[in-house]
Amino acid sequence: MAGLVAGVVARNFCGRSLILNSKCVNYCFPRFFGGRRQDEKPKKPATHFMLYYKNIKSSLDKNNPDIKITEKVKLASMKYKDLSPEEKQKLNAQSEKLLEEYREKMEKWRSSLSSEEKDALKAEHREQREKKEKRKIAKLQRQNEMPRRQGTSFSMYVSDQLKAINLQFMSPTERLEAVRRNMSECSQRWKAMPEAEKEIYNKRAAEEQELHEAEMLQWEQNMIEEGKEKLIRKKTLKKHQTEVRKADKEAAKATASSNKTVSKKSGVKSTKALETKAGKSAPKKQSAPRKQSTPKKHVHFEESGTLGKKDFYSSDSE
């Protein structure tokens, strides 16, 4: 644990990372760090350019022993551009064949996994995507010159103690060893230091924090104006969104009140208001006139003089 802390301090004060990355830790210590060994998982094949680079790497190392690997890759890229179409076609065919073999191996490997292992693999991929997104945002923040976070009172004390050592003239390994030697001594001195002396560093840390917060707020405001809200802190983004919603509501209210004022000044009144003032109700719709029904014909029976004989006739009205 002390080694990891010393490595972090060496990175902060020396500008270089001297500890293992998360992949190395997960591979070397799968029990303790939640990682999972994937020795059986097929590795992705090399691309056509990497196949070409592997073929000429020995000659590049022999002819250019003093240049960096990035410069060697640039030289290989220039040479690759000068290749004939036939040679490039051979490399492409070779890489396609390796890719097909890789896909077949991956299908077999996935089918051999249990449901728990598949869930763990999905979670691992999700975590990798989140880490990649965080690295991308951190890179954009550096490119946009985000103010650097200041250290704590203890880190300021360690920084003062390390100034006596010429770390800039040491190699990375020597820096790490020097920090490790002084780290335990600084921790013991800090614990035994009187509160009055600690208060000096606490006050410095509080002032630096206030200055950093003011710089961060100004920087975040600039990012919002430039349309880069994803680079600012979550609490600032939430506050900004709340202010925007509040401003929209106030603007809507102001627009509604101005419309009412304009209608009053122009003398426009609603039909209902005019009818109420005149004491008249709105005209009702007249119903269609009813159709007059034709009178039914009534049959009258009347006895005649002759017995048993009936004389009847019909009339429309009595």
Side-chain angles (χ1 to χ4, degrees):
M1 189 65 184
L4 291 175
V5 173
V8 172
V9 173
R11 180 178 182 180
N12 290 338
F13 292 101
C14 306
R16 294 193 181 186
S17 178
L18 302 175
I19 61 174
L20 294 175
N21 56 24
S22 60
K23 289 184 179 179
C24 295
V25 170
N26 285 338
Y27 183 81
C28 299
F29 308 101
R31 268 189 191 174
F32 305 104
F33 293 93
R36 190 167 67 88
R37 292 192 181 185
Q38 299 179 1
D39 298 336
E40 299 178 358
K41 183 178 179 180
K43 294 183 179 180
K44 288 185 178 181
T47 60
H48 46 84
F49 172 73
M50 290 306 299
L51 291 173
Y52 174 72
Y53 177 74
K54 288 179 180 179
N55 294 336
I56 65 170
K57 185 177 181 300
S58 58
S59 62
L60 288 174
D61 293 340
K62 184 177 180 181
N63 298 329
N64 308 280
D66 299 330
I67 64 174
K68 297 180 180 180
I69 187 171
T70 54
E71 298 295 331
K72 292 178 183 178
V73 173
K74 287 180 181 179
L75 290 174
S77 177
M78 293 172 64
K79 291 185 177 182
Y80 179 79
K81 290 179 181 178
D82 296 336
L83 290 177
S84 62
E86 292 79 11
E87 293 175 334
K88 288 183 179 180
Q89 186 65 27
K90 289 180 181 179
L91 292 170
N92 290 337
Q94 189 177 356
S95 67
E96 287 293 333
K97 183 180 179 181
L98 294 174
L99 186 61
E100 288 295 329
E101 295 176 357
Y102 165 75
R103 288 171 179 169
E104 293 176 0
K105 291 178 182 178
M106 278 298 296
E107 287 296 328
K108 292 181 181 179
W109 182 76
R110 286 196 183 99
S111 61
S112 66
L113 296 176
S114 62
S115 58
E116 292 81 5
E117 289 176 334
K118 289 180 181 178
D119 294 339
L121 188 63
K122 289 180 181 178
E124 186 177 352
H125 290 169
R126 193 183 310 114
E127 185 180 357
Q128 289 176 358
R129 287 194 298 270
E130 291 174 357
K131 288 182 179 179
K132 185 178 180 180
E133 184 65 22
K134 287 181 180 179
R135 288 194 299 269
K136 182 180 178 181
I137 292 175
K139 183 179 179 181
L140 292 173
Q141 288 173 343
R142 289 193 300 270
Q143 291 176 353
N144 288 273
E145 299 179 352
M146 185 183 77
R148 294 186 62 183
R149 183 181 298 177
Q150 302 300 320
T152 61
S153 53
F154 175 68
S155 63
M156 289 181 178
Y157 171 73
V158 175
S159 178
D160 291 344
Q161 298 299 315
L162 292 175
K163 284 179 182 178
I165 307 173
N166 295 325
L167 295 176
Q168 57 183 351
F169 300 107
M170 297 182 183
S171 63
T173 307
E174 292 174 348
R175 285 197 205 110
L176 183 58
E177 290 297 328
V179 171
R180 282 178 176 173
R181 285 196 304 268
N182 290 274
M183 193 64 188
S184 58
E185 296 179 4
C186 290
S187 179
Q188 293 175 3
R189 292 173 191 169
W190 179 259
K191 290 179 181 178
M193 185 182 295
E195 292 296 328
E197 295 183 13
K198 284 184 180 180
E199 188 62 26
I200 298 173
Y201 290 100
N202 292 337
K203 189 176 180 180
R204 277 178 55 188
E207 292 174 355
E208 293 290 342
Q209 182 62 28
E210 290 179 3
L211 180 62
H212 173 260
E213 185 65 21
E215 292 176 351
M216 277 296 298
L217 291 175
Q218 182 61 41
W219 179 80
E220 287 173 335
Q221 184 63 32
N222 296 337
M223 293 297 102
I224 291 172
E225 292 175 358
E226 294 177 10
K228 301 176 182 178
E229 290 87 354
K230 66 178 182 179
L231 302 183
I232 65 178
R233 294 172 293 182
K234 290 183 179 180
K235 62 176 185 179
T236 309
L237 180 60
K238 188 176 180 180
K239 184 179 178 181
H240 169 67
Q241 291 173 348
T242 304
E243 291 176 352
V244 169
R245 287 194 295 268
K246 186 177 180 181
D248 292 341
K249 289 181 180 179
E250 291 177 355
K253 288 181 180 179
T255 304
S257 62
S258 64
N259 291 338
K260 288 181 180 179
T261 305
V262 170
S263 63
K264 286 181 179 179
K265 288 183 179 180
S266 60
V268 178
K269 295 184 178 180
S270 62
T271 307
K272 189 174 182 180
L274 292 172
E275 290 173 355
T276 305
K277 186 175 181 180
K280 297 180 180 179
S281 60
K284 295 182 179 180
K285 292 183 179 180
Q286 295 182 354
S287 58
R290 294 183 179 180
K291 294 181 179 179
Q292 294 181 356
S293 58
T294 57
K296 295 182 179 180
K297 293 182 179 181
H298 301 278
V299 180
H300 297 269
F301 296 91
E302 190 173 339
E303 291 184 358
S304 61
T306 308
L307 183 63
K309 188 178 179 181
K310 292 183 179 181
D311 184 18
F312 61 91
Y313 60 94
S314 62
S315 62
D316 293 338
S317 60
E318 290 182 357

